[in-house]
Amino acid sequence: MGAAKGAAVDLGRISAVVLDTDGVITDTARVHAAAWKQVFDPFLSERREEPFDIGRDYPRHVDGKSREDGVADFLRSRGIPADPETVAALAARKDACFLAEIDAHGVTPFASTVAFVGELRRRGVRVAAVSASRNCARVLRAAGVGGLFDVRVDGVEAARLGLPGKPDPALFLRAAELLGAAPERTAVVEDSLAGVLAGRRGGFGLVVGLDRNDLREELRAAGADVVVGDLAELRLDGRDGGSLAAGL
């Protein structure tokens, strides 16, 4: 796919890039969504509620958030009390479903993202992987891409430091800090609405929305500077010249 008009990363002003993990680096957003449905549907059926809708409920209430925040936000969207015991039980069940799936079928990275990160590193740009999940390291290892990133900030780090989850920008700000880059010189690449909103709230120099779920206009409304369907559409300008597309 050719580069979209205007879809460029100016490496003259961007010195670091922070990428979300599930749905951007690895093809695991769909696994998360299926695990949520597996957990929520029996719970909702007992209450005579409509089933969990992956196309509607996942991106708007769960995607990009910690398990506990995702459960609480989704339950509130249905008018169901989000008491701590219920939230913890559903979150634990979802984690078990997700891990069983990746153990059984493995994890696939997006080839275009691997190429994008490789080109960034070749040009001397430092790169971080960020996730609200405490399983981030396991997912990256399973995909064989853990060594591509200079920094990883995930749910384990968030719990250790008491960092709030997206749409708060704390995870991204921590990644930029560890990369040694100011937010205004850092780009964020996200596929979730909560993540794009976090990038905008954090004052990052460029927020790229990756539209894998037909949410282009919503990603723009959340604050994405540019929206692409695949990272192969992005052009890298500056440093040693050329473009990412030319290097693929």
Side-chain angles (χ1 to χ4, degrees), residues 2-3 29 44 68 117 128 140 143 146 184 209 224:
L44 294 169
E68 292 78 9
V117 172
L140 293 175
E184 61 269 22

Side-chain angles (χ1 to χ4, degrees), residues 153-243:
V153 177
D154 57 16
V156 175
E157 178 82 344
R160 184 178 72 83
L161 296 176
L163 301 178
K166 306 168 194 173
D168 190 285
L171 292 173
F172 291 148
L173 291 171
R174 174 62 175 165
E177 177 187 7
L178 293 175
L179 290 171
E184 61 269 22
R185 289 187 56 81
T186 303
V188 168
V189 183
E190 257 285 0
D191 69 318
S192 74
L193 299 175
V196 166
L197 186 56
R200 179 52 55 222
R201 289 178 175 176
F204 286 89
L206 178 69
V207 180
V208 178
L210 184 55
D211 181 24
R212 300 201 194 274
N213 298 296
D214 196 24
L215 294 171
R216 182 172 294 266
E217 293 309 314
E218 289 177 82
L219 289 166
R220 288 191 183 279
D225 295 302
V226 62
V227 178
V228 295
D230 189 274
L231 291 187
E233 297 174 32
L234 279 179
R235 186 178 73 253
L236 297 179
D237 292 339
R239 301 274 172 136
D240 63 355
S243 70

